[in-house]
Amino acid sequence: VTAKQSELHIGMVNPLSGDNALYGLSEERGMTLAFEEINAAGGVNGAKLVLDEYDDQGDPQNAAKGAQKYADDDSILAMLGSSLTSCTLAIVPIIDDAGLVECVVSSSSPSLAKSSDYFFRMAVQDAQVGPQMAKAALSRQHKKFDVLYTNNDFGKNLSQNLIAYVEANGGEIINSIEYNPADQDFTAMLTTVKNDAPEAVALCGTVTDCSLIIKQMKNLGIESFIIGHTSLYSQKALEIAGDAMEGASCVSVYISTNPAARVQEFVQKFEEKYGQTPDSFAAMAYDAAYVLAEAADHAMRADDGEVTREGMKAGMEATNHEGVTGTVVFTEDNEWERDYLTLTVKDGAFTLAE
């Protein structure tokens, strides 16, 4: 099959400036690297992939403007973004109305589930992280848990999903304790944990508060197995908790030191091009670029070399791509469900757990 179009335009709406630019720029780099590789190898059956960009600055109103711009432009066959749930929620009604595929690699909220037949999510999802954290501890024979969670929707949802999984799979919850993530001193809560002597402590919070808790646990001599959220895989955690991070674990979909050949090849190419190690946003966007390219290939094969928006939707539904962050297959609800990796801090750095 030969492409009828000479170029295939994919739109990206993402924060490329402002406080959340870190996410958008990582995703832009991952996408760009993948498109360059695909184009160098002849494109999609001869058609060149082109990435069009729109900076939403992390603002839902800007995100809606970007989505509308792409919806109105017939040359745009699919789009990626945004990184933030609030922006993605503003985009979905627009792409749904336009019949334009939107793929996200970040935007974890349950509120986006089943939001449109054209919305495909490769992101880590809040509803899956809790059970994956529980599984990481249970599979290492840690069955008695204390669960510490932040007093907001994020912490409550995460802990409820984790607790349900533990109880359904032979574990036991000794205690679950709510805390304010703005606090600095967690001694009172951790004294309770010390008395409980749990086999595992599950931290359902964000990187700053969880890192402080880990540091203070060490000071109190608590030696339980620690399992954290995906956000704990961060340089910031190592900086805040220091030596106390040694032996702490978290779940993640990606780690740059994963010895798998596919991962190492990607990391090397990324470092050569950008002079930095790719994070999980860059890795997932790199995979998303290949998923979109394969969807375009699928569309061409079904329609005599032509790619349409509907063809892209059918191509996304048929996805089966072995990427650097796992094998991408979408459920009936266009979600990607997969097992996560367990990471452990060893000699002051995150490594793939045994």
Side-chain angles (χ1 to χ4, degrees), residues 1-8 44-47 300 303-307:
V1 63
T2 310
K4 287 203 169 147
Q5 291 117 302
S6 61
E7 292 186 336
L8 304 173
V44 182
N45 303 313
M300 283 180 195
D303 196 11
D304 202 22
E306 183 134 14
V307 183

Side-chain angles (χ1 to χ4, degrees), residues 233-301:
Y233 173 40
S234 157
Q235 203 48 44
K236 196 172 169 188
L238 297 172
E239 285 162 16
I240 295 171
D243 295 345
M245 276 299 284
E246 194 68 20
S249 298
C250 67
V251 293
S252 180
V253 292
Y254 160 86
I255 181 169
S256 62
T257 55
N258 185 334
R262 180 180 282 106
V263 178
Q264 286 314 305
E265 197 181 319
F266 159 67
V267 170
Q268 191 187 342
K269 286 178 187 164
F270 194 96
E271 285 177 344
E272 276 169 15
K273 186 171 171 64
Y274 298 111
Q276 64 186 127
T277 302
D279 60 15
S280 54
F281 297 102
M284 282 196 282
Y286 178 84
D287 282 348
Y290 273 94
V291 165
L292 288 162
E294 285 177 19
D297 174 62
H298 183 279
M300 283 180 195
R301 291 179 193 284

Side-chain angles (χ1 to χ4, degrees), residues 42-107:
V44 182
N45 303 313
K48 191 174 153 217
L49 289 163
V50 181
L51 186 64
D52 294 16
E53 298 177 11
Y54 189 95
D55 179 11
D56 67 24
Q57 297 164 338
D59 174 351
Q61 280 177 301
N62 282 342
K65 278 184 202 153
Q68 195 60 58
K69 178 182 180 229
Y70 291 146
D72 295 341
D73 179 348
D74 292 338
S75 76
I76 300 287
L77 296 165
M79 65 166 278
L80 182 110
S82 183
S83 301
L84 306 179
T85 291
S86 55
C87 291
T88 302
L89 283 166
I91 290 171
V92 168
I94 298 166
I95 59 106
D96 186 65
D97 194 43
L100 177 65
V101 161
E102 175 193 12
C103 179
V104 296
V105 298
S106 156
S107 286

